[in-house]
Amino acid sequence: MTAQDFILESYNSNIEKGKVKWSSPSNIALIKYWGKREHQIPENPSISFTLSNCKTITEVTYTKKANKDFSFDVYFEGEKNEAFKPKIQTFFERIESYMPFLRDYHFKIETSNTFPHSSGIASSASGMSALALCLMSLERSLSLTEMTNLYFNKKASFLARLGSGSACRSIEGELVVWGQNESTESSDLYGIKFDDDVHANFKNYQDTILLVDKGEKQVSSTVGHKLMFGHPFAKERFSQAHNNLAKLKTILALGDLDAFIKIVESEALTLHAMMMTSMPYFILMKPNTLSIINRIWQYRNETNSKVCFTLDAGANVHVLYPENEKDNILQFIKNDLATYCQNEHFITDYVGKGAQLIEI
Ligand code: PMV
């Protein structure tokens, strides 16, 4: 499909008002997206686990209005929020050619997260996907023809991508690929559910997020992606992501946990290596991030565990492990790794099936 296929040509203009509510999860990339071209096109393919517990719940109330300006109010956790408005304004501007009805309505956007505010967990993936889904439900109500679920999900992912790249991987679960590649069904424009064989070892995979640093990120992902332009190692990195995805596909089918660990940890460290070697350069890990990584490696050496880590563009650590190790690893986290977290704070999560419609 091309971007043109997502333009809504005509619609029912008799709907005066309505309300819709979605919950949409965060996701954690195994192969990382870092570097993008214009219009949020990724420089390399990525694949992520969709999460379950870390999600955004967004309710959009729409009311017909006469003027043709964008009009919306944002409420975050019950309070009117001005800080989110510029991002949503930019989002509306980016998607209006695909949703011509956006200027016909005033939108009241009420949103909240299940994870603590300023926990250092990026809410852009869950937040932008939840908003995109609400707007797609409105489009479905206005649509003059029947809309298939396949189209609904594709366009929701397409729109979410224009809000925040990785948000396009939050619509469905359990694994989603985004970015054209030779190994899987794929597109640069939207995420696609990874439908190839996945071994039982990866079912209900666990992700416990260790909150090492709850502060504002030192570098926004927008700035970070831009630093891949002219980066001395960019070309190699982008081709490495293609190779890693091809390898991961086989690993997922075989259930090879040792090979999984190697790819996933290497991807996390490569993401941070790219930041450390860009100009300007950044170190987003904290001393406790490194302590946790070392403790995970030590634990793995001492036991037969298949626990491993991955990182986002920040200091927090995602601890990934198979479901059958849940009790042991949670004990290890509580007794040991939690001491490296701010206020011993961590969030337990696991792989999920994607966004859910709560109310229409
Ligand atoms: O979606 P963005 O623009 O916030 O970028 C997110 C990039 C990483 O989280 C670091 C990696 C990824 O693939 O999710």
Side-chain angles (χ1 to χ4, degrees), residues 100-146:
F101 56 86
L102 280 183
R103 289 179 187 270
D104 299 348
Y105 293 93
H106 171 76
F107 297 97
K108 182 178 183 195
I109 303 166
E110 292 171 274
T111 184
S112 61
N113 295 332
T114 54
F115 45 90
H117 184 47
S118 70
S119 56
I121 299 184
S123 58
S124 57
S126 53
M128 281 300 171
S129 52
L131 181 55
L133 285 157
C134 289
L135 296 174
M136 276 311 291
S137 286
L138 169 56
E139 175 168 324
R140 184 173 245 167
S141 313
L142 302 180
S143 184
L144 300 172
T145 53
E146 192 72 30

Side-chain angles (χ1 to χ4, degrees), residues 27-36 40 44-48 87 122 124-125 160-161 163-169 178 217 220-222 225 237 267 271-272 275 311-314:
N27 68 72
I28 180 68
L30 304 171
I31 308 266
K32 308 289 180 182
Y33 146 63
W34 198 243
K36 65 178 167 187
Q40 306 273 96
N44 67 258
S46 56
I47 183 168
S48 50
K87 206 165 178 195
S124 57
R161 184 196 101 244
S164 172
S166 58
C168 77
R169 299 187 311 238
W178 170 42
K217 280 199 227 164
S220 71
S221 57
T222 310
H225 288 293
R237 161 59 198 152
E267 275 289 320
L271 169 71
H272 282 255
M275 298 181 211
L311 306 165
D312 261 340

